Amino acid sequence: MKLLALLVALVIWFVVLLFLRIRVNLDYSYKNLESKLILKLKILFSALHIRLVIPREMFFSGLENILRNIIEDTSDKEIEVPKAETKTKRYMFLRHFTGEIFRKYISGWSKFLLLKNKLLKLKQMFYRKVFVYSVNSKIEIGGRDAAETGILVGVIWAYLGRITARIYSSVSVKKNKISYFVQPRFDDEVLICNFNCILSLKNSHIIFTALKFFAIIIKIRRIGNNG
C-alpha cells in the first residue's frame, strides 16, 4: 500500500509539473562588440538565472581563429603531419554527420519537401503555444555622418516593423506591451542595443513537441529505408 501510494503521488506530481508554465525573462545588451545575456527561468517557486558575457577580446580572438582555420584549410602549401591530423579530426565528425543527414533525410527531393513541410508545421504549432507578455528594445545608433545615421535609423525602424508583424502572426501575444525606441547619435559612430522579452510556455508543450520531432525523424528514416 505504501508503494502504491508513493507511485500515485509521483504520477500526480508529474502531471502537475507537465501543466506548469515556464516563465522566461530574457535580457540582452550589446555595446562596442561586447554582449551580455541574462536568462531567467521561473517554474512555480523555483528560479534559474543564467548570465553570459562575451567581451570584445573573445570576439576578436574567435574571429581570428576562424580566419586562421580558413586560411590553413584553403592554403596550397604543404602541411606538416600533426597539422594534417588536427585538420582531419576537426572535420571528420562534421563530414560524417552532414553525410548521414543528407543520406537519410534529404537525399531525395520528395523526402526533403516532406521533412521541410512537417518541420514547418511543427514550428508553427510550437510558436502558437508561446505566450508573449512584453517585448522592449532600445537602440542607439550613429554613423559616419548625419546622412548615414538617418539611413540606418530608417532601416532599423523598417526592420522592427517587420519583427512586430512576425510576432503577432507567429506567437500568442497576451499583453500589448511591444515597444521600441531608436535614438540617432550624430555625435559618435556607435551601436548600443538593449533588448528585453518576457514569455511563457507549458512544460508539456515542450515535451510533446520534442516527441513529435523525433516521431517525424523516425518516419522520414523509415520512408528512406523502405524506398
Side-chain angles (χ1 to χ4, degrees), residues 184-216:
R185 292 282 299 273
F186 299 101
D187 58 339
D188 191 10
E189 187 176 351
V190 67
L191 174 60
I192 302 174
C193 177
N194 294 284
F195 175 80
N196 175 264
C197 178
I198 300 176
L199 55 90
S200 70
L201 67 163
K202 290 183 179 179
N203 295 335
S204 59
H205 183 54
I206 300 175
I207 296 174
F208 292 153
T209 302
L211 293 176
K212 290 180 180 179
F213 173 77
F214 287 115
I216 291 173

Side-chain angles (χ1 to χ4, degrees), residues 9 22 35 39 66 88 107 119 135 143 157 173 184 191-192:
I22 302 176
S35 300
L39 182 63
I66 292 174
T88 302
S107 57
L119 292 182
V135 177
W157 273 117
V173 180
L191 174 60
I192 302 174

